[in-house]
Amino acid sequence: MEPASISGEQWAARVSGEALDLAQCMQFVEDPGAGAISTFSGVTRNSFKGKAVVKLEYECYTDMALKKLKDVCEECCQKHAIIRLAVAHRVGEVWVGQPSVLVAASSAHRLEAIQACHWVIDALKATVPIWKKEFFEDGSIWKENAECQLLGNSSEGLA
């Protein structure tokens, strides 16, 4: 999939079939007024509930995923005192050790950036229509994010 992106004054979001670049996200959020840059990198691990994971595969409806990422980014900017925000999600095959999602936030002080990253990843997993299939050594399954079940697929109530 060709990369697709959307952005606002303080934020940028991207969905891509290409490898994600944490340095690029960090560069976007750099600002002379930022005393902190916090990042989150969600990486494919090698096991799930005792089963050996080979890879993950993500699919999305790109237009809807970008619309929901826009909503998440704008809400984060309203809720948290951040300067800039970058979010990137991979689609297609993501092998063990590779990142599938990146979040970077800058703020004047560390707590705001850390809280923003935490809030964004939870809201993204709860509301953005990106589907994950896990491939094990002995088969595969589609997996729903636990955040979808806990929040009824709504970002309301996220702290």
Side-chain angles (χ1 to χ4, degrees), residues 38-56:
S38 186
T39 64
F40 172 81
S41 180
V43 179
T44 302
R45 64 179 175 268
N46 66 359
S47 66
F48 178 73
K49 293 188 177 182
K51 296 177 93 173
V53 173
V54 177
K55 66 178 179 177
L56 301 177

Side-chain angles (χ1 to χ4, degrees), residues 67-86:
K67 180 186 179 308
K68 291 295 189 177
L69 283 168
K70 173 184 183 277
D71 293 346
V72 167
C73 290
E74 287 179 345
E75 189 171 345
C76 179
C77 290
Q78 291 172 357
K79 287 181 176 281
H80 299 279
I82 60 167
I83 297 170
R84 309 252 309 165
L85 175 68

Side-chain angles (χ1 to χ4, degrees), residues 1-157:
M1 173 193 152
E2 288 294 315
S5 60
I6 190 167
S7 61
E9 189 174 318
Q10 287 179 270
W11 58 269
R14 177 181 174 114
V15 177
S16 178
E18 300 172 359
L20 302 180
D21 184 350
L22 183 58
Q24 186 179 42
C25 290
M26 289 180 65
Q27 184 177 12
F28 177 81
V29 302
E30 288 176 352
D31 186 273
I37 293 176
S38 186
T39 64
F40 172 81
S41 180
V43 179
T44 302
R45 64 179 175 268
N46 66 359
S47 66
F48 178 73
K49 293 188 177 182
K51 296 177 93 173
V53 173
V54 177
K55 66 178 179 177
L56 301 177
E57 190 172 290
Y58 291 90
E59 292 183 10
C60 75
Y61 171 50
T62 304
D63 291 342
M64 182 59 73
L66 289 173
K67 180 186 179 308
K68 291 295 189 177
L69 283 168
K70 173 184 183 277
D71 293 346
V72 167
C73 290
E74 287 179 345
E75 189 171 345
C76 179
C77 290
Q78 291 172 357
K79 287 181 176 281
H80 299 279
I82 60 167
I83 297 170
R84 309 252 309 165
L85 175 68
V87 181
H89 205 297
R90 178 106 177 251
V91 292
E93 293 180 332
V94 184
W95 298 91
V96 171
Q98 294 181 332
S100 54
V101 62
L102 300 174
V103 179
S106 62
S107 61
H109 304 285
R110 69 181 177 272
L111 186 58
E112 292 89 352
I114 292 167
Q115 290 174 335
C117 285
H118 184 190
W119 187 90
V120 165
I121 192 61
D122 285 351
L124 182 155
K125 291 183 76 147
T127 65
V128 179
I130 297 176
W131 305 283
K132 176 170 67 174
K133 189 172 189 177
E134 291 191 88
F135 288 81
F136 304 103
E137 289 179 346
D138 63 351
S140 64
I141 60 167
W142 285 100
K143 185 175 176 208
E144 181 178 36
N145 288 319
E147 292 81 1
C148 287
Q149 296 167 357
L150 293 173
L151 298 173
N153 205 23
S154 168
S155 64
E156 290 180 29

